[in-house]
Amino acid sequence: MQPFKLEPEYREYVWGGSRIRPNVGRTAEAWLVYENNMITGGHLKGMYLSEAAVQGGEALLGRAVVEKTGKRFPLLIKLLDCADWLSLQVHPNNVQAEFWEGPGNFGKMEAWYIVNADSGAQLVSGFKVGTTKEAVARAVGTSSLLDIIERIDLKTGDAILISPGTIHTLGPGSLVYEVQQTSDITYRVYDWDRPMKAGRKLHLEQAADVLDPKAGGGLVSMETASPGEDPLIACEFFALRVIADNELPVQCDTRFQSFHCLTMVEGEGIIEGDGWQRRLGKFETLLIPASCGHYHIHPGTHTCLVAYVPD
């Protein structure tokens, strides 16, 4: 199989900015890789990614992926442009997702990589140390949550893993790459007293069940990460490697275990494998099927994010 690009899908929400599509206007999210993206080139052109995953099986997904989640495409990758605060929210784990949403639903482990952060940009991850379940229960759905959440200052190149059960949100001034399980289950806990219009309701019963007062996480950064091939972020569902301003070709290998999703978040670059070469522009994504094996990223002034499913 040959690598291919996907047609992004764009979403507009009240908190969106204008950095993803400057010539269009407000765009909150670009869904770069998910089941219903359409393939834009090659012999799979015009097919949805979900269809290609079923048809390609291990050749596209990889042995490790099929063993874990079958022929369903397991990741969802987005860009988020935050001009205002997102709702305070929480995601379920796999068991909770099936309980609240029905069989066949995945939970939502996710990670954020901060593509760009303005001065003063923040995120929320977890509650302040010592916060009790009783305090959380009293605060759910109200502005009292703002007194017990943990705010973290951001800079470009930071990353964080958001586990199910963690209260979290992103603040204004951040452009963020998000990788997660194939799930968009979000339980809003508080929405800054915005009107509860259709599509932005709170999910207080679900949130009360799912929230874990002890769940949270700190930032990791390219400045402190170990150099080499180790991912910046990793969990059982996905790993994320960051390749920035490489002076030499960077060798990569799917090892036939998992597809690789390459997203260029700064600059542009050339990706090359056995019998193929692709150019990636800013915010473009290339999906490399597991059967492609070895490939390399040409030297360049760019930042390329590589997401995959670990063995």
Side-chain angles (χ1 to χ4, degrees):
M1 299 186 76
Q2 292 279 304
F4 54 83
K5 296 181 181 180
L6 297 160
E7 183 70 30
E9 181 178 302
Y10 300 101
R11 307 277 175 108
E12 297 183 11
Y13 302 119
V14 294
W15 47 264
S18 58
R19 286 181 285 190
I20 295 176
R21 295 190 295 172
N23 297 326
V24 174
R26 187 172 71 193
T27 302
E29 297 182 351
W31 289 38
L32 303 177
V33 182
Y34 89 115
E35 292 178 305
N36 291 330
N37 279 128
M38 186 169 288
I39 297 169
T40 60
H43 73 282
L44 299 176
K45 182 177 180 180
M47 186 178 291
Y48 290 110
L49 181 55
S50 57
E51 297 171 332
V54 172
Q55 179 176 301
E58 283 191 2
L60 190 154
L61 296 169
R63 297 187 191 114
V65 176
V66 172
E67 286 177 4
K68 288 183 177 183
T69 52
K71 292 185 177 181
R72 183 176 179 185
F73 195 83
L75 299 184
L76 171 57
I77 296 173
K78 306 178 185 178
L79 284 175
L80 288 71
D81 182 8
C82 311
D84 199 352
W85 283 98
L86 282 66
S87 62
L88 282 167
Q89 56 193 246
V90 65
H91 307 303
N93 60 30
N94 286 346
V95 173
Q96 293 164 335
E98 290 218 344
F99 175 80
W100 284 105
E101 308 297 331
N105 282 281
F106 288 153
K108 188 174 176 181
M109 175 79 81
E110 66 184 5
W112 291 333
Y113 174 85
I114 310 305
V115 176
N116 187 268
D118 295 344
S119 176
Q122 292 183 320
L123 61 73
V124 169
S125 175
F127 293 103
K128 293 179 179 178
V129 175
T131 300
T132 64
K133 283 188 175 182
E134 291 74 21
V136 171
R138 288 194 299 270
V140 163
T142 75
S143 60
S144 298
L145 282 166
L146 304 181
D147 298 324
I148 57 176
I149 53 176
E150 191 67 57
R151 298 173 186 252
I152 303 174
D153 294 330
L154 293 176
K155 64 181 183 302
T156 300
D158 285 338
I160 190 169
L161 186 66
I162 305 289
S163 300
T166 304
I167 193 166
H168 63 282
T169 193
L170 286 161
S174 56
L175 179 65
V176 178
Y177 167 100
E178 179 180 78
V179 57
Q180 61 203 283
Q181 292 175 265
T182 289
S183 171
D184 201 41
I185 301 173
T186 296
Y187 297 141
R188 292 188 189 86
V189 189
Y190 175 67
D191 199 23
W192 308 94
D193 296 324
R194 293 172 180 137
M196 286 178 38
K197 297 185 254 184
R200 293 202 66 83
K201 68 178 183 178
L202 301 182
H203 309 89
L204 303 185
E205 185 179 6
Q206 296 93 327
D209 175 55
V210 169
L211 277 170
D212 179 356
K214 296 181 180 179
L219 297 174
V220 296
S221 172
M222 287 297 295
E223 294 180 358
T224 57
S226 300
E229 298 183 2
D230 292 339
L232 183 63
I233 290 280
C235 64
E236 65 178 297
F237 302 108
F238 52 78
L240 181 65
R241 185 180 175 191
V242 182
I243 298 167
D245 297 338
N246 51 300
E247 297 180 354
L248 297 171
V250 174
Q251 303 297 325
C252 303
D253 189 359
T254 67
R255 299 172 40 251
F256 301 92
Q257 295 300 308
S258 171
F259 60 87
H260 285 189
C261 293
L262 277 63
T263 301
M264 200 67 66
V265 294
E266 287 292 346
E268 61 180 27
I270 297 174
I271 321 299
E272 185 171 359
D274 185 12
W276 59 268
Q277 185 182 94
R278 303 286 188 275
R279 179 178 291 275
L280 271 188
K282 187 175 181 180
F283 298 158
E284 286 190 323
T285 295
L286 182 70
L287 195 149
I288 300 180
S291 59
C292 287
H294 291 277
Y295 66 94
H296 64 273
I297 300 171
H298 284 223
T301 304
H302 51 232
T303 302
C304 184
L305 306 185
V306 183
Y308 58 94
V309 176
D311 296 358

